[in-house]
Amino acid sequence: EKEAHYFDALPGEGHEYDFDHAKIYARRFAHCCADKIQLDEVSIMSNVLAMDATPETMLFPKRVRSTFDSVDPTGELAKRAKFIIILREPVSRELSWYNHCAHECRNQLQTKPICLSYPSQAWNSEMNRIRTFSEYMESVTLTNVHFVAEPDPTEQLCYREMNRGLYADILREWINLFDRQQILVLSQEELVSDEGSFLNHVNSFLGLNKYISDFHLKQVNIKDDGHKVKAILCSDQEK
C-alpha cells in the first residue's frame, strides 16, 4: 500500500517515534532494497527511492524528524530525505474532504445507526442525517481555523485538531526542521492542468534524468455515488 500511516498514529495506540519503531517502519520498504540495506546498521544506506504517500504525514513534521534522529542522531540520514507536498486550493480541499466523510458515513449507515470515527464529521446527530456542506462548514471547518502547533512527540502524542488548509503555518514547521532544498511544494491544480510539467518537476527534484513531454493521468473518482457535492454557495465560499 502506498500509505503507511506511520506518522499519524493516534494517542493510546502504544506508538513511539524511537529507534525500535523506526525499524518496524523501515521493514515496510524492505522489498524495495532488500539487498542494499540492513535495518540495524545506519551506516549502510540504499540509493533506491522508496515512497510513503500518506497525506496525514504533512501534519506531523516533528514526528518525522524525531524518527530520523532516533536512527541517526548526527542528522546525516535526515538530510537524505526528500518531501513532496502537493497543495490544493483550500476551499476545494475542504469540499473534497467533506465529500469523502459523507461518502464513508453513508457506507457506515448501511450497517450502523450512526457514523463513527472521522466520517462522523459529516453526521448531523440532532437531525439524524448527513450534514449539508453549509452545516459542515459551521460545525467543523470554522471551529478548527486556528493553528495548533505540533507538540514534541517525545513528550506528548496527540492528534492535531486543526484545519489542514492552514498551509503557511504547516510549511513553516517543515522548513524549521528540514532544509528548504529537501522540500518540493506543488499544486494540485498544476497536476490537473499539465501532468507532464508536474511530473518533470518531481523527476528533477528526485534527481531522475527522465524527461516527460506528454503524459495524461486517467481521472476517475470511484467514490462518486450520486450524492457528491460539486459546487458550494457563495456565502460558504466567503466564510
Side-chain angles (χ1 to χ4, degrees):
E1 296 181 358
K2 67 183 180 67
E3 298 181 12
H5 289 282
Y6 175 80
F7 297 105
D8 58 333
L10 295 173
E13 293 183 350
H15 199 98
E16 296 182 20
Y17 293 92
D18 56 17
F19 180 68
D20 289 335
H21 283 82
K23 289 193 294 182
I24 297 174
Y25 178 58
R27 290 191 186 103
R28 296 184 64 99
F29 308 97
H31 64 285
C32 300
C33 45
D35 60 336
K36 298 184 180 181
I37 187 169
Q38 297 179 24
L39 300 178
D40 293 321
E41 298 182 22
V42 177
S43 60
I44 301 178
M45 299 181 182
S46 170
N47 289 321
V48 175
L49 293 174
M51 179 185 73
D52 176 359
T54 308
E56 287 80 2
T57 298
M58 181 180 171
L59 292 176
F60 302 103
K62 287 185 179 179
R63 295 185 184 183
V64 175
R65 183 72 206 204
S66 179
T67 297
F68 276 103
D69 290 345
S70 71
V71 177
D72 178 16
T74 69
E76 290 303 312
L77 184 61
K79 291 179 181 178
R80 293 168 58 90
K82 290 180 179 290
F83 305 97
I84 301 174
I85 301 176
I86 304 172
L87 305 179
R88 187 174 186 177
E89 187 274 316
V91 175
S92 298
R93 192 213 66 81
E94 196 70 5
L95 178 60
S96 177
W97 179 248
Y98 161 79
N99 279 320
H100 175 67
C101 290
H103 174 83
E104 295 301 319
C105 188
R106 280 188 287 270
N107 284 344
Q108 290 186 9
L109 290 175
Q110 295 178 16
T111 57
K112 299 180 179 70
I114 60 173
C115 298
L116 303 174
S117 188
Y118 72 86
S120 65
Q121 296 179 28
W123 180 248
N124 188 324
S125 57
E126 295 181 357
M127 303 296 292
N128 203 36
R129 59 166 173 77
I130 300 290
R131 285 175 171 145
T132 65
F133 182 69
S134 296
E135 293 171 342
Y136 171 86
M137 286 278 293
E138 293 291 341
S139 300
V140 180
T141 304
L142 298 182
T143 60
N144 292 315
V145 293
H146 299 293
F147 177 71
V148 178
E150 182 189 5
D152 186 337
T154 63
E155 299 177 357
Q156 181 183 13
L157 187 62
C158 63
Y159 205 80
R160 301 176 74 178
E161 294 294 337
M162 57 172 280
N163 190 282
R164 299 182 191 178
L166 301 174
Y167 298 145
D169 294 308
I170 298 173
L171 289 174
R172 193 174 293 113
E173 289 185 317
W174 281 93
I175 293 172
N176 287 338
L177 293 169
F178 296 93
D179 189 280
R180 178 64 182 86
Q181 299 305 312
Q182 293 178 256
I183 304 170
L184 175 65
V185 180
L186 297 170
S187 70
Q188 188 260 357
E189 287 75 19
E190 181 183 3
L191 173 60
V192 173
S193 63
D194 192 343
E195 297 99 327
S197 173
F198 181 94
L199 291 175
N200 282 319
H201 277 122
V202 172
N203 283 352
S204 176
F205 176 68
L206 296 177
L208 303 177
N209 295 324
K210 185 175 181 180
Y211 178 79
I212 299 174
S213 60
D214 186 24
F215 184 85
H216 298 286
L217 291 173
K218 184 178 180 180
Q219 299 182 23
V220 178
N221 189 337
I222 62 175
K223 292 187 177 181
D224 189 353
D225 55 5
H227 298 281
K228 183 177 180 180
V229 177
K230 299 181 180 180
I232 66 174
L233 299 175
C234 293
S235 56
D236 290 335
Q237 178 91 20
E238 292 174 357
K239 292 177 183 179

